[in-house]
Amino acid sequence: MPEFVGNLLVAQSGGPTAVINASVAGVVQEAAKHDCIREVYGGLNGILGILKEQLIDLKQEDRATIEDLKHTPAAALGTCRYKIDFKKKPGQAALDMDRLFDVFLAHDIRFFFYAGGNDSQDTADKIDKEAVKRGIPLRVIGVPKTIDNDLPHTDHCPGFGSAAKYNACTVMEIEQDVSSMATDEGVCCVIEVMGRSAGWLAAGTVLAQRAPADAPHIILLPEIPFNEGSFLAKVKETVDKLRYCIIVVGEGLKKPDGAEYSANTSRRDAFGHPVLSGAAERLAELVYGKLNTKTRSVKLGYAQRCAAHYASGIDAVEAAACGAAAVRAAAEGKSGFMVKIVRTGSAPYGWTTGLQPIGDIALVEKTVPRDWISADGFMPNEKFIDYCRPLIEGQVNVPVEGGLPKFALLLRKRVPCKLGKRPKAG
Ligand code: F6P
C-alpha cells in the first residue's frame, strides 16, 4: 500500500466549455488506476460548493455515465466565478481558506483537481501554497480549460478548438444566408464572439474561408485598437465588390484609448472583469448610420461554448487526457502544477501533455501575437491558420434520442456533511 493515501476531489470553475466534462471523465477514469486514491468526490459549483461542503460521490455514478460526460457540454458538477480575495475581502478570504482546509481534512482530501481558466488557476495556486504553509498533505493540480484560449505556457486550452469549430461553421452558414439575400443595395452582418481580452476565438473564424472572397471579410480583434475610419472604408470596399460583408468582432474589442468598445462599466463579474456585451450591435448601428447599408448583428453567446453537437474530436480527446495527466502527476507526488498541452508537430499534428507551475499561469492572459495578424489588422495570417487548423479536426459522436442529443445525467449522490455551516464575515 502506498504511503500517501487519501480521497480525491475534482471541481470545475469559470465559464463552461463543450469539453470540460471530458476532463472530469479523464480524472475519474484515471483515478481508478491508482491505489493511493480511495474515494472520488466532485465539488458542486467549484470552490463555492466546496466551501458549503457540497460534495458528491463520483464512484456511485455508472461507468457509462462517466464515459457519456465526454460528449456532454457545460459543467456537469456545476461551476462558479468565485474569488478568494485577500486584497478586497481579507476577512472573508481568511475564513474561506480555513473553511476549505476544514472540508479537505474532514473528508480526507489529499488530491485536489481544479479545471478552469486564469482566475481559477489562481485559486488553485493559492490553495496549493496555503497547504504548504500549513504543512497539510495535499496535492493540487490545475486542469486547463477555457474557450478563450488565453492561458500562457500551454499550446492551447481545452474548449477552444470546439468553440472555434462551431464559430467557423456558423460563419460559413451565415454567409450562405446573407449572400443569398444580397442585392445591389448591399447587406452586412456583424457576428460577435466571446473571448474577453484575447482574440483567439474571433481569429479562429478565419478557418471559414475556403476562397479569398469568403467570409469573414473583416475580423476585429481585441489585440488591434479599433479604427472607425479604416473599418468603414473596408466594409464599403467589400460591399461594393461582393454586395455583402460579414464582419466578426471579438467581444473585447478595444478603443484606441484601451477601453473596451462594449464594456458596461457599471457591471463587473465576480473576478472584477467588466461585463462585455453589445459590440456587434454597436458596430451594426455604426455601419447602418454611416454607410446606409442594411446590417444585422448576431451574437453567438453561450451557444459557442456549449455546442457539443459540433465539438472538435481532438479537443475532446485532449480535454480527457489533461484530466488523466493531472491524476498521474498527483499520484507521482507532484503538486502546484497545471497540466499543459505541448505541440510536438503541426503537419501532421502531434501533441502530448506536460506540467507548468500554476504560479506561472495564474492571472496571466496570452493574446494573439501581432505577427500572426495581417498588416492592416483585419485578418489573422497563415501563421495563425497553421496553428489553429489542427485544433478543430474530428467529430465527437453524440448519441441521439428522438432526434436530439442524449447527454449524461449524474446521480449526484451527496457525501454526508461532517461540518457546520460555512462561516461568513460579519
Ligand atoms: O469563460 C470565459 C468566457 O466564456 C468569456 O469569453 C466571456 O467573456 C465570459 O466567459 C462570459 O461569461 P458569463 O457571461 O457566463 O459570466
PDB file of all heavy atoms in Angstrom, residues 290-311:
ATOM      1  N   LYS A 290     -23.550  55.187 -40.943  1.00  0.00           N
ATOM      2  CA  LYS A 290     -22.564  55.889 -41.792  1.00  0.00           C
ATOM      3  C   LYS A 290     -22.643  55.463 -43.257  1.00  0.00           C
ATOM      4  O   LYS A 290     -22.349  56.240 -44.144  1.00  0.00           O
ATOM      5  CB  LYS A 290     -21.141  55.605 -41.273  1.00  0.00           C
ATOM      6  CG  LYS A 290     -20.864  56.095 -39.870  1.00  0.00           C
ATOM      7  CD  LYS A 290     -20.512  57.571 -39.844  1.00  0.00           C
ATOM      8  CE  LYS A 290     -20.185  57.961 -38.412  1.00  0.00           C
ATOM      9  NZ  LYS A 290     -19.891  59.306 -38.158  1.00  0.00           N
ATOM     10  N   LEU A 291     -22.997  54.191 -43.510  1.00  0.00           N
ATOM     11  CA  LEU A 291     -22.966  53.716 -44.903  1.00  0.00           C
ATOM     12  C   LEU A 291     -24.362  53.471 -45.470  1.00  0.00           C
ATOM     13  O   LEU A 291     -24.504  53.138 -46.643  1.00  0.00           O
ATOM     14  CB  LEU A 291     -22.135  52.427 -45.012  1.00  0.00           C
ATOM     15  CG  LEU A 291     -20.680  52.485 -44.515  1.00  0.00           C
ATOM     16  CD1 LEU A 291     -20.012  51.127 -44.686  1.00  0.00           C
ATOM     17  CD2 LEU A 291     -19.885  53.550 -45.260  1.00  0.00           C
ATOM     18  N   ASN A 292     -25.357  53.604 -44.594  1.00  0.00           N
ATOM     19  CA  ASN A 292     -26.749  53.370 -45.012  1.00  0.00           C
ATOM     20  C   ASN A 292     -26.921  51.986 -45.666  1.00  0.00           C
ATOM     21  O   ASN A 292     -27.596  51.845 -46.685  1.00  0.00           O
ATOM     22  CB  ASN A 292     -27.199  54.494 -45.961  1.00  0.00           C
ATOM     23  CG  ASN A 292     -28.710  54.519 -46.092  1.00  0.00           C
ATOM     24  OD1 ASN A 292     -29.409  54.079 -45.174  1.00  0.00           O
ATOM     25  ND2 ASN A 292     -29.212  54.978 -47.219  1.00  0.00           N
ATOM     26  N   THR A 293     -26.288  50.999 -45.071  1.00  0.00           N
ATOM     27  CA  THR A 293     -26.377  49.630 -45.585  1.00  0.00           C
ATOM     28  C   THR A 293     -27.091  48.784 -44.542  1.00  0.00           C
ATOM     29  O   THR A 293     -26.724  48.827 -43.356  1.00  0.00           O
ATOM     30  CB  THR A 293     -24.944  49.068 -45.812  1.00  0.00           C
ATOM     31  OG1 THR A 293     -24.265  49.945 -46.700  1.00  0.00           O
ATOM     32  CG2 THR A 293     -24.980  47.672 -46.390  1.00  0.00           C
ATOM     33  N   LYS A 294     -28.085  48.018 -44.977  1.00  0.00           N
ATOM     34  CA  LYS A 294     -28.811  47.163 -44.028  1.00  0.00           C
ATOM     35  C   LYS A 294     -27.804  46.254 -43.309  1.00  0.00           C
ATOM     36  O   LYS A 294     -27.003  45.570 -43.961  1.00  0.00           O
ATOM     37  CB  LYS A 294     -29.849  46.316 -44.763  1.00  0.00           C
ATOM     38  CG  LYS A 294     -30.622  45.437 -43.808  1.00  0.00           C
ATOM     39  CD  LYS A 294     -31.478  44.406 -44.493  1.00  0.00           C
ATOM     40  CE  LYS A 294     -31.949  43.440 -43.414  1.00  0.00           C
ATOM     41  NZ  LYS A 294     -32.589  42.262 -43.910  1.00  0.00           N
ATOM     42  N   THR A 295     -27.828  46.263 -41.974  1.00  0.00           N
ATOM     43  CA  THR A 295     -26.845  45.483 -41.220  1.00  0.00           C
ATOM     44  C   THR A 295     -27.516  44.808 -40.032  1.00  0.00           C
ATOM     45  O   THR A 295     -28.199  45.468 -39.244  1.00  0.00           O
ATOM     46  CB  THR A 295     -25.711  46.406 -40.702  1.00  0.00           C
ATOM     47  OG1 THR A 295     -25.165  47.118 -41.800  1.00  0.00           O
ATOM     48  CG2 THR A 295     -24.603  45.614 -40.035  1.00  0.00           C
ATOM     49  N   ARG A 296     -27.319  43.532 -39.927  1.00  0.00           N
ATOM     50  CA  ARG A 296     -27.861  42.773 -38.790  1.00  0.00           C
ATOM     51  C   ARG A 296     -26.712  42.367 -37.874  1.00  0.00           C
ATOM     52  O   ARG A 296     -25.592  42.153 -38.341  1.00  0.00           O
ATOM     53  CB  ARG A 296     -28.502  41.491 -39.296  1.00  0.00           C
ATOM     54  CG  ARG A 296     -29.956  41.439 -38.976  1.00  0.00           C
ATOM     55  CD  ARG A 296     -30.559  40.120 -39.339  1.00  0.00           C
ATOM     56  NE  ARG A 296     -31.981  40.258 -39.569  1.00  0.00           N
ATOM     57  CZ  ARG A 296     -32.881  40.402 -38.605  1.00  0.00           C
ATOM     58  NH1 ARG A 296     -32.522  40.411 -37.338  1.00  0.00           N
ATOM     59  NH2 ARG A 296     -34.161  40.536 -38.891  1.00  0.00           N
ATOM     60  N   SER A 297     -27.000  42.224 -36.584  1.00  0.00           N
ATOM     61  CA  SER A 297     -25.962  41.703 -35.691  1.00  0.00           C
ATOM     62  C   SER A 297     -26.393  40.339 -35.156  1.00  0.00           C
ATOM     63  O   SER A 297     -27.591  40.106 -34.942  1.00  0.00           O
ATOM     64  CB  SER A 297     -25.699  42.675 -34.537  1.00  0.00           C
ATOM     65  OG  SER A 297     -26.856  42.821 -33.763  1.00  0.00           O
ATOM     66  N   VAL A 298     -25.439  39.472 -34.963  1.00  0.00           N
ATOM     67  CA  VAL A 298     -25.701  38.127 -34.432  1.00  0.00           C
ATOM     68  C   VAL A 298     -24.679  37.890 -33.327  1.00  0.00           C
ATOM     69  O   VAL A 298     -23.480  38.087 -33.531  1.00  0.00           O
ATOM     70  CB  VAL A 298     -25.490  37.033 -35.517  1.00  0.00           C
ATOM     71  CG1 VAL A 298     -25.724  35.648 -34.943  1.00  0.00           C
ATOM     72  CG2 VAL A 298     -26.380  37.267 -36.711  1.00  0.00           C
ATOM     73  N   LYS A 299     -25.178  37.449 -32.166  1.00  0.00           N
ATOM     74  CA  LYS A 299     -24.259  37.202 -31.054  1.00  0.00           C
ATOM     75  C   LYS A 299     -24.217  35.694 -30.813  1.00  0.00           C
ATOM     76  O   LYS A 299     -25.258  35.102 -30.505  1.00  0.00           O
ATOM     77  CB  LYS A 299     -24.822  37.933 -29.840  1.00  0.00           C
ATOM     78  CG  LYS A 299     -23.864  38.133 -28.759  1.00  0.00           C
ATOM     79  CD  LYS A 299     -24.451  39.161 -27.829  1.00  0.00           C
ATOM     80  CE  LYS A 299     -23.923  38.951 -26.447  1.00  0.00           C
ATOM     81  NZ  LYS A 299     -24.469  39.902 -25.512  1.00  0.00           N
ATOM     82  N   LEU A 300     -23.059  35.091 -30.943  1.00  0.00           N
ATOM     83  CA  LEU A 300     -23.018  33.628 -30.789  1.00  0.00           C
ATOM     84  C   LEU A 300     -23.112  33.215 -29.320  1.00  0.00           C
ATOM     85  O   LEU A 300     -23.460  32.074 -29.021  1.00  0.00           O
ATOM     86  CB  LEU A 300     -21.778  33.052 -31.467  1.00  0.00           C
ATOM     87  CG  LEU A 300     -21.689  33.346 -32.979  1.00  0.00           C
ATOM     88  CD1 LEU A 300     -20.600  32.503 -33.634  1.00  0.00           C
ATOM     89  CD2 LEU A 300     -23.006  33.114 -33.700  1.00  0.00           C
ATOM     90  N   GLY A 301     -22.794  34.116 -28.406  1.00  0.00           N
ATOM     91  CA  GLY A 301     -23.075  33.936 -26.981  1.00  0.00           C
ATOM     92  C   GLY A 301     -22.771  32.559 -26.420  1.00  0.00           C
ATOM     93  O   GLY A 301     -21.777  31.925 -26.781  1.00  0.00           O
ATOM     94  N   TYR A 302     -23.638  32.095 -25.533  1.00  0.00           N
ATOM     95  CA  TYR A 302     -23.408  30.808 -24.870  1.00  0.00           C
ATOM     96  C   TYR A 302     -23.368  29.649 -25.860  1.00  0.00           C
ATOM     97  O   TYR A 302     -22.726  28.631 -25.590  1.00  0.00           O
ATOM     98  CB  TYR A 302     -24.503  30.533 -23.830  1.00  0.00           C
ATOM     99  CG  TYR A 302     -24.451  31.425 -22.606  1.00  0.00           C
ATOM    100  CD1 TYR A 302     -25.588  31.711 -21.874  1.00  0.00           C
ATOM    101  CD2 TYR A 302     -23.245  31.969 -22.190  1.00  0.00           C
ATOM    102  CE1 TYR A 302     -25.538  32.526 -20.754  1.00  0.00           C
ATOM    103  CE2 TYR A 302     -23.185  32.783 -21.072  1.00  0.00           C
ATOM    104  CZ  TYR A 302     -24.327  33.068 -20.358  1.00  0.00           C
ATOM    105  OH  TYR A 302     -24.264  33.873 -19.263  1.00  0.00           O
ATOM    106  N   ALA A 303     -24.083  29.805 -26.995  1.00  0.00           N
ATOM    107  CA  ALA A 303     -24.147  28.684 -27.957  1.00  0.00           C
ATOM    108  C   ALA A 303     -22.748  28.207 -28.321  1.00  0.00           C
ATOM    109  O   ALA A 303     -22.517  27.008 -28.491  1.00  0.00           O
ATOM    110  CB  ALA A 303     -24.924  29.118 -29.189  1.00  0.00           C
ATOM    111  N   GLN A 304     -21.790  29.157 -28.436  1.00  0.00           N
ATOM    112  CA  GLN A 304     -20.450  28.771 -28.881  1.00  0.00           C
ATOM    113  C   GLN A 304     -19.670  27.985 -27.827  1.00  0.00           C
ATOM    114  O   GLN A 304     -18.743  27.263 -28.157  1.00  0.00           O
ATOM    115  CB  GLN A 304     -19.640  29.996 -29.309  1.00  0.00           C
ATOM    116  CG  GLN A 304     -19.174  30.872 -28.169  1.00  0.00           C
ATOM    117  CD  GLN A 304     -18.835  32.273 -28.596  1.00  0.00           C
ATOM    118  OE1 GLN A 304     -17.762  32.511 -29.103  1.00  0.00           O
ATOM    119  NE2 GLN A 304     -19.766  33.219 -28.384  1.00  0.00           N
ATOM    120  N   ARG A 305     -20.005  28.139 -26.553  1.00  0.00           N
ATOM    121  CA  ARG A 305     -19.191  27.421 -25.566  1.00  0.00           C
ATOM    122  C   ARG A 305     -19.853  26.124 -25.091  1.00  0.00           C
ATOM    123  O   ARG A 305     -19.302  25.426 -24.251  1.00  0.00           O
ATOM    124  CB  ARG A 305     -18.762  28.327 -24.410  1.00  0.00           C
ATOM    125  CG  ARG A 305     -19.827  28.794 -23.488  1.00  0.00           C
ATOM    126  CD  ARG A 305     -19.230  29.659 -22.371  1.00  0.00           C
ATOM    127  NE  ARG A 305     -20.232  29.896 -21.359  1.00  0.00           N
ATOM    128  CZ  ARG A 305     -20.173  30.831 -20.438  1.00  0.00           C
ATOM    129  NH1 ARG A 305     -19.140  31.633 -20.395  1.00  0.00           N
ATOM    130  NH2 ARG A 305     -21.116  30.952 -19.558  1.00  0.00           N
ATOM    131  N   CYS A 306     -21.029  25.796 -25.641  1.00  0.00           N
ATOM    132  CA  CYS A 306     -21.667  24.542 -25.228  1.00  0.00           C
ATOM    133  C   CYS A 306     -22.134  23.717 -26.429  1.00  0.00           C
ATOM    134  O   CYS A 306     -22.964  22.832 -26.285  1.00  0.00           O
ATOM    135  CB  CYS A 306     -22.827  24.824 -24.291  1.00  0.00           C
ATOM    136  SG  CYS A 306     -24.026  25.948 -24.997  1.00  0.00           S
ATOM    137  N   ALA A 307     -21.564  24.014 -27.602  1.00  0.00           N
ATOM    138  CA  ALA A 307     -22.037  23.334 -28.820  1.00  0.00           C
ATOM    139  C   ALA A 307     -21.418  21.944 -28.953  1.00  0.00           C
ATOM    140  O   ALA A 307     -20.585  21.695 -29.826  1.00  0.00           O
ATOM    141  CB  ALA A 307     -21.731  24.194 -30.040  1.00  0.00           C
ATOM    142  N   ALA A 308     -21.860  21.031 -28.103  1.00  0.00           N
ATOM    143  CA  ALA A 308     -21.308  19.665 -28.128  1.00  0.00           C
ATOM    144  C   ALA A 308     -21.623  18.960 -29.437  1.00  0.00           C
ATOM    145  O   ALA A 308     -20.865  18.095 -29.874  1.00  0.00           O
ATOM    146  CB  ALA A 308     -21.873  18.865 -26.960  1.00  0.00           C
ATOM    147  N   HIS A 309     -22.739  19.322 -30.068  1.00  0.00           N
ATOM    148  CA  HIS A 309     -23.129  18.636 -31.310  1.00  0.00           C
ATOM    149  C   HIS A 309     -22.122  18.865 -32.420  1.00  0.00           C
ATOM    150  O   HIS A 309     -22.101  18.129 -33.396  1.00  0.00           O
ATOM    151  CB  HIS A 309     -24.519  19.106 -31.763  1.00  0.00           C
ATOM    152  CG  HIS A 309     -24.540  20.525 -32.241  1.00  0.00           C
ATOM    153  ND1 HIS A 309     -24.463  21.603 -31.393  1.00  0.00           N
ATOM    154  CD2 HIS A 309     -24.607  21.044 -33.487  1.00  0.00           C
ATOM    155  CE1 HIS A 309     -24.496  22.719 -32.102  1.00  0.00           C
ATOM    156  NE2 HIS A 309     -24.572  22.415 -33.372  1.00  0.00           N
ATOM    157  N   TYR A 310     -21.298  19.897 -32.272  1.00  0.00           N
ATOM    158  CA  TYR A 310     -20.306  20.164 -33.311  1.00  0.00           C
ATOM    159  C   TYR A 310     -18.920  20.352 -32.692  1.00  0.00           C
ATOM    160  O   TYR A 310     -18.099  21.115 -33.170  1.00  0.00           O
ATOM    161  CB  TYR A 310     -20.725  21.397 -34.139  1.00  0.00           C
ATOM    162  CG  TYR A 310     -20.134  21.363 -35.520  1.00  0.00           C
ATOM    163  CD1 TYR A 310     -20.420  20.298 -36.375  1.00  0.00           C
ATOM    164  CD2 TYR A 310     -19.263  22.342 -35.971  1.00  0.00           C
ATOM    165  CE1 TYR A 310     -19.847  20.223 -37.627  1.00  0.00           C
ATOM    166  CE2 TYR A 310     -18.693  22.279 -37.230  1.00  0.00           C
ATOM    167  CZ  TYR A 310     -18.996  21.214 -38.049  1.00  0.00           C
ATOM    168  OH  TYR A 310     -18.432  21.119 -39.290  1.00  0.00           O
ATOM    169  N   ALA A 311     -18.686  19.633 -31.592  1.00  0.00           N
ATOM    170  CA  ALA A 311     -17.394  19.757 -30.895  1.00  0.00           C
ATOM    171  C   ALA A 311     -16.269  19.173 -31.741  1.00  0.00           C
ATOM    172  O   ALA A 311     -16.495  18.347 -32.631  1.00  0.00           O
ATOM    173  CB  ALA A 311     -17.468  19.035 -29.552  1.00  0.00           C
TER     174      ALA A 311
END
